[in-house]
Amino acid sequence: MKMASLTEEVVFNDKKPAISVLLETEATKEVRILLKKDQVMAAHKAPYPITVAVHKGVIDFGVGTTTYLLEPGSLIALEANVLHDLKARENSIIRLSLSINDKIERVENVSTL
């Protein structure tokens, strides 16, 4: 058994999103992304399917040329290699589920674009 918290030790970075792996399972890496208001994760693709859940805050989630408003409780799942971007409308706590084969460094590099 493994446990983690989305809401403990929440510290937003002024310059870029705060990204941390909360736990790993046999199939996934569960990642917390803290986006401060107006922070952006530029358009990018993931090499494996992903699931994004908004725990707190509001984000604009772009998929191709369409932008979806994601509020607390919203979930969105994407297949591999789908172009997407994020922008926080307010301070937001996001859970990202990645394939165990994906690398957290890839997510960290996207956040600095």
Side-chain angles (χ1 to χ4, degrees), residues 2 32 38-39 44 48 57-58 72 85 89 105 112:
K2 298 179 180 185
R32 180 179 63 195
D38 295 326
Q39 282 182 337
H44 61 283
Y48 303 94
V58 179
D85 60 82
R89 289 189 175 198
E105 294 82 9
T112 61

Side-chain angles (χ1 to χ4, degrees), residues 24-82:
E24 292 186 18
T25 70
E26 291 181 13
T28 67
K29 292 177 186 167
E30 301 302 325
V31 178
R32 180 179 63 195
I33 301 173
L34 302 175
L35 283 176
K36 196 169 183 173
K37 182 181 179 184
D38 295 326
Q39 282 182 337
V40 172
M41 292 185 75
H44 61 283
K45 297 177 183 180
Y48 303 94
I50 63 168
T51 302
V52 175
V54 176
H55 178 72
K56 180 179 179 183
V58 179
I59 64 168
D60 289 325
F61 191 94
V63 180
T65 59
T66 304
T67 300
Y68 300 91
L69 180 68
L70 301 184
E71 298 176 304
S74 296
L75 290 166
I76 191 165
L78 298 179
E79 295 300 322
N81 299 309
V82 174

